[in-house]
Amino acid sequence: MTTTLARDAAPPDAAIRPRPSKWVWSWTGAGVFAVAALLLVVVGYLVAGISSGSVDWTALLTDASWSPPNAAYGGLAMIYGTAVVCALALILAVPVSWGAALALSEYLPPRVARLLRMCVELLAAVPSIVYGLIGIMVIRPVVAWIGDVPGGDSLLAAGIVLAVMITPTIVAVSVDALTAVPDRYREAAFSLGLTRREVIRSAVLPLARPGMRSAVLLGLARALGEAIAVFLVVGRADGRLPTSFDGFLHSLVHPGQTLTTKLAGPEPVLAGTSGPYFAALCGLGLVLLAFVAAATIWGTRGQKRGTSDKRAPAFRGAPRMRVERDRLAMGLRLGALLLPTALLLGMLALLVTRGSSAFNPSFWFTSATGAAGGGVRDQIVGTLLLIVTTGLIALPLGFGAGILIGVHASERVARLLQTLTIVLGGAPTILLGLAGFVILSSTMGWGRSWLAGAIVLVPVVIPVIALATSARVRSMPPELTESALSLGLTRAQFIRSVVVPYAWPATLTGLLLGLARAAGETAPLLFTATVFFGAPAFPSGVVESPVQALPTHIFTLSQDSGDPQAVTQAWGSAMVLVLITAVLLSAAVALRNRFEGERWTT
């Protein structure tokens, strides 16, 4: 008799089983709740302001006359200015940005593409107040020469400034969407004999289109919400509304007004906190939010989850002149990449020549003296404190909201959450500052507080993180989801072990873009967190603990353009701010590149 020895089956090792991840739903829910709550605060502030006085909505939306002494509150000219400026920015920025993104993703070797991508993203390190200074020094004279008008303040100048500002945002998010397309689709298309242009059109763009559309919406949200840079170059002339095509062309090269510049000017302070004047201004803010919501809904129409971003592409080829078309497309896309690179080099040259004082170590390590003397040590400390605090608050909330939008929400709920997120991103920062002033500084009694300033900057960063993350998640290959779920992972474990590592590079991109924008924000800090002088370098508490910050310091100095010392100090401070944000951006890019290939389980 033969005896067969068999080893008893070893019990499964509990240590290698996926850990429960019940905290995932609390985390993602907190992110979405933060988006909804912040938007509700802004809308509640506007609704309360409208309720404080009577608003003639018909006149506000159809009349171009704005004259508070005569009780005339017509906002049509400002609505027109907003539409024209944003349209000009998108017309100029989107083709260049998409072409540059395709060149970086599809044409260049990885090492070269990584270096050039970092150069393009360094444009995001240029704060909005610096764009305003460059608009004053460079763009206004060009517009004055083109239009043969004095000064150069115009809607065209504002549109050009915004186009340059939103280009790095569209490029960065579009590149993330393109690199997330699996290589097997490209290989299958090449195996059919398609040219590179046909591969991109047939195999890459159908899968990357949702993310690239989100990139444009992010750019539009920033364009609609930008105040300070436009404020410095648009001219702020009320009542300019053309009545003919010739009048339209004439209006482009002459001063105008937008909704954000009206809200960022002195009028919200002069209007008080109640009455028809204040109510009309709040009505303009609500119109601006509705504008952002309408653009978002229009931009996401026809976009269905699970179809447009998951279906296998159809391979098509052009029967005639295929090689010539391929070469033309390659030339145009590489040329599009050269434009933002040239813009970066030009800006750096201007900053280096004008802000040479920033290369003096004493400028960094001494305090400001008088109106325009000394250094910017205290302003640097205050800026870093605001940026770090904002990033720590916004990163988990924006990441959680993006994961929930991309993975768990149904199609209808996802579109609703995306709309709310973009509307929050398009909220004028001046409204965030005014709401923070009323709630945090006045009602809660914080006064000028560094923490209040960081909190009002959080809504600037969260939408960028959430939308970049959700676009990355929606582009995840379906077999990755199927493989993970076939292993018996719960939905929460799937998010923790698969989705989070896959989405992390795009989240870092969103974080660095959001913080680069927050670092240059001026309007919200003027009301809640900063003073021009007199604040200590390190605040000792929260209540009545203001700081000095570089953006507001530059803004204040730039208002005194007749003082050469103040102008020199402003450019030096701008160079310091650009260097700080560039260092933070470079660190984030290095982390993103490290995590780029880590898409599998943890």
Side-chain angles (χ1 to χ4, degrees):
M1 180 178 180
T2 302
T3 304
T4 302
L5 299 178
R7 180 182 299 175
D8 294 336
D13 188 357
I16 64 176
R17 294 182 61 82
R19 298 186 299 274
S21 303
K22 297 180 179 179
W23 54 269
V24 167
W25 302 128
S26 301
W27 166 49
T28 55
V32 171
F33 175 79
V35 171
L38 290 171
L39 184 59
L40 184 63
V41 168
V42 176
V43 174
Y45 167 76
L46 295 175
V47 171
I50 293 172
S51 302
S52 68
S54 60
V55 177
D56 186 349
W57 288 101
T58 302
L60 190 68
L61 299 176
T62 62
D63 190 0
S65 176
W66 181 273
S67 178
N70 299 319
Y73 305 108
L76 184 58
M78 287 168 272
I79 296 173
Y80 164 78
T82 300
V84 169
V85 167
C86 291
L88 286 172
L90 293 178
I91 290 171
L92 295 174
V94 172
V96 173
S97 301
W98 279 357
L102 286 169
L104 290 170
S105 175
E106 307 299 325
Y107 288 94
L108 297 176
R111 289 186 178 179
V112 178
R114 188 172 298 165
L115 176 63
L116 291 179
R117 182 182 179 184
M118 185 173 180
C119 290
V120 173
E121 289 177 340
L122 281 173
L123 284 171
V126 181
S128 58
I129 184 63
V130 179
Y131 280 110
L133 288 176
I134 294 174
I136 292 173
M137 298 296 300
V138 179
I139 297 177
R140 286 200 314 182
V142 172
V143 173
W145 175 74
I146 293 175
D148 193 20
V149 292
D153 286 325
S154 61
L155 297 176
L156 179 60
I160 294 173
V161 169
L162 284 183
V164 178
M165 291 180 65
I166 67 177
T167 292
T169 299
I170 300 176
V171 171
V173 180
S174 296
V175 169
D176 277 327
L178 290 166
T179 55
V181 176
D183 287 336
R184 68 178 184 277
Y185 291 122
R186 298 178 178 87
E187 295 166 358
F190 278 121
S191 69
L192 296 176
L194 301 185
T195 64
R196 185 176 296 275
R197 182 188 68 86
E198 293 165 351
V199 169
I200 294 171
R201 180 172 63 91
S202 302
V204 178
L205 290 181
L207 297 174
R209 188 173 292 118
M212 297 176 74
R213 186 184 291 118
S214 295
V216 175
L217 291 175
L218 276 172
L220 177 60
R222 179 169 189 185
L224 286 169
E226 177 56 40
I228 296 300
V230 178
F231 184 90
L232 294 175
V233 299
V234 77
R236 305 188 303 279
D238 290 323
R240 301 290 182 89
L241 189 66
T243 57
S244 64
F245 182 73
D246 290 339
F248 166 74
L249 296 178
H250 183 268
S251 69
L252 295 180
V253 294
H254 285 79
Q257 186 79 278
T258 68
L259 293 169
T260 52
T261 55
K262 174 61 69 175
L263 295 170
E267 293 191 44
V269 178
L270 299 175
T273 57
S274 63
Y277 190 6
F278 181 71
L281 290 172
C282 291
L284 293 178
L286 200 59
V287 169
L288 181 57
L289 290 182
F291 203 174
V292 178
T296 303
I297 295 172
W298 178 81
T300 56
R301 74 193 193 287
Q303 181 179 340
K304 298 184 180 298
R305 284 165 51 92
T307 57
S308 63
D309 53 341
K310 303 294 185 186
R311 65 188 178 197
F315 303 126
R316 303 185 301 274
R320 300 175 57 186
M321 302 181 64
R322 299 173 62 201
V323 176
E324 290 77 6
R325 293 184 182 185
D326 188 70
R327 291 175 179 173
L328 177 61
M330 181 177 66
L332 291 176
R333 288 161 181 168
L334 291 176
L337 179 60
L338 292 177
L339 183 57
T341 306
L343 286 173
L344 174 65
L345 295 177
M347 287 186 179
L348 290 179
L350 185 61
L351 286 168
V352 168
T353 55
R354 296 275 182 172
S356 57
S357 58
F359 298 103
N360 185 353
S362 64
F363 188 73
W364 290 67
F365 299 108
T366 59
S367 300
T369 57
V376 290
R377 183 195 64 189
D378 296 345
Q379 287 80 3
I380 293 173
V381 174
T383 300
L384 292 176
L385 177 62
L386 292 170
I387 292 175
V388 172
T389 306
T390 300
L392 292 176
I393 299 173
L395 177 59
L397 297 177
F399 196 22
I403 293 295
L404 188 61
I405 294 172
V407 173
H408 186 62
S410 64
E411 176 187 342
R412 181 174 299 178
V413 174
R415 291 189 63 187
L416 174 62
L417 293 178
Q418 185 183 41
T419 300
L420 293 177
T421 304
I422 296 178
V423 171
L424 177 63
T429 53
I430 185 64
L431 293 181
L432 300 176
L434 292 173
F437 173 76
V438 171
I439 297 172
L440 300 175
S441 301
S442 299
T443 304
M444 296 181 62
W446 287 9
R448 297 290 180 106
S449 170
W450 62 272
L451 184 58
I455 291 174
V456 298
L457 290 178
V458 167
V460 175
V461 182
I462 284 181
V464 185
I465 298 175
L467 292 173
T469 302
S470 64
R472 175 80 165 193
V473 172
R474 288 197 302 271
S475 66
M476 181 182 297
E479 63 271 17
L480 187 59
T481 302
E482 295 166 359
S483 300
L485 296 180
S486 67
L487 295 175
L489 298 182
T490 65
R491 199 70 173 173
Q493 291 168 339
F494 164 67
I495 291 174
R496 179 184 63 83
S497 300
V498 179
V499 176
V500 169
Y502 188 88
W504 187 239
T507 302
L508 283 178
T509 300
L511 176 64
L512 66 91
L513 289 172
L515 288 181
R517 179 185 173 187
E521 286 296 338
T522 304
L525 301 181
L526 289 172
F527 293 93
T528 58
T530 61
V531 292
F532 182 65
F533 61 88
F538 294 96
S540 58
V542 172
V543 177
E544 295 296 344
S545 297
V547 293
Q548 300 176 66
L550 287 169
T552 53
H553 189 68
I554 298 168
F555 179 75
T556 304
L557 291 173
S558 65
Q559 301 302 298
D560 191 8
S561 58
D563 183 359
Q565 185 178 0
V567 173
T568 301
Q569 190 84 347
W571 280 105
S573 302
M575 187 64 191
V576 171
L577 182 56
V578 169
L579 290 175
I580 291 174
T581 51
V583 169
L584 296 176
L585 178 66
S586 300
V589 168
L591 288 174
R592 183 195 60 203
N593 292 338
R594 177 181 178 184
F595 290 121
E596 183 69 38
E598 300 181 9
R599 299 179 182 176
W600 298 95
T601 58
T602 57

